[in-house]
Amino acid sequence: KVILKRLLQLIPTLLVVITFTFAATRLIPGDPVAAMLGEQYDATKVDALREELGYVPDESYFPEMLTPRDVAAVLSRAYTRWDGAAYAALLDRFALPARKPVRSLSRGMRMKLSLAAALAHRPRLLVLDEPTGGLDPRDGILDILNDFTRDETHAVLLSSHILSDLEKICDYVALLRRGKLLFCEEKDRLTESCAVVRLPERELDILREIASGDTNQEIADRLNMSVATVKTHILNMLEKTGFRNR
């Protein structure tokens, strides 16, 4: 009865794994359609793609009745490169109780569990959605990601609104707005050429008009001020950003 009860508890996760494989096969028609880390994948290579990719969402996707130990029992059958020793070491590092159900874990602990599970199957690419959200910076998540990328065949793609995280770990920074890629630049180049500046509302209005491509005269007419005043505001903004003397 105990074994049957445990099997019934694992069924939801098994269905998740099966559904993922089926959906990936159906959603990747054609030859080839996906490229990752210099290799191309089609519908015949879904299993290989899954092995190479580790995903950590911003919310835990594990059924709440499972324990970290149960998670390992399921995922070890889903990934051929599952490393049980590495998973156990990460649980210890994160101080995660192996026999405690997911429902009793805090948001931060669930994030750590997802990261441990993603790393334990030895992927080459980690995709993380807000990996440090709700975590104490001293938890060492960034250190683990730095360790992961010491292998030149590994890469991390993460989304974050915490600029300090990007400064500490990223080599490149990309900005997405409404589904469009606005830029992708080396982090060091961005920090050298960009600045965060606080401006009064009037100067922000002028900056928005400049961004639209209007001339000084058009801006002056629209904002009901003289061209000389517009130029003065522009010079003030340049001084605040440090670009006037460049």
Side-chain angles (χ1 to χ4, degrees), residues 176-195:
L176 290 172
R177 186 187 182 202
R178 297 177 181 175
K180 293 183 178 181
L181 180 65
L182 298 186
F183 67 79
C184 181
E185 295 284 353
E186 290 185 22
K187 178 193 67 180
D188 292 340
R189 184 175 178 181
L190 277 176
T191 55
E192 290 173 0
S193 60
C194 298

Side-chain angles (χ1 to χ4, degrees), residues 100-138:
K100 202 170 183 179
V102 171
R103 73 166 69 89
S104 65
L105 302 179
S106 66
R107 184 179 185 277
M109 294 177 76
R110 294 185 188 196
M111 178 67 75
K112 293 175 185 177
L113 176 60
S114 296
L115 181 58
L119 288 168
H121 68 84
R122 300 297 185 188
R124 288 195 298 152
L125 175 64
L126 269 179
V127 178
L128 306 105
D129 186 4
E130 298 285 353
T132 58
L135 296 179
D136 189 313
R138 294 168 295 182

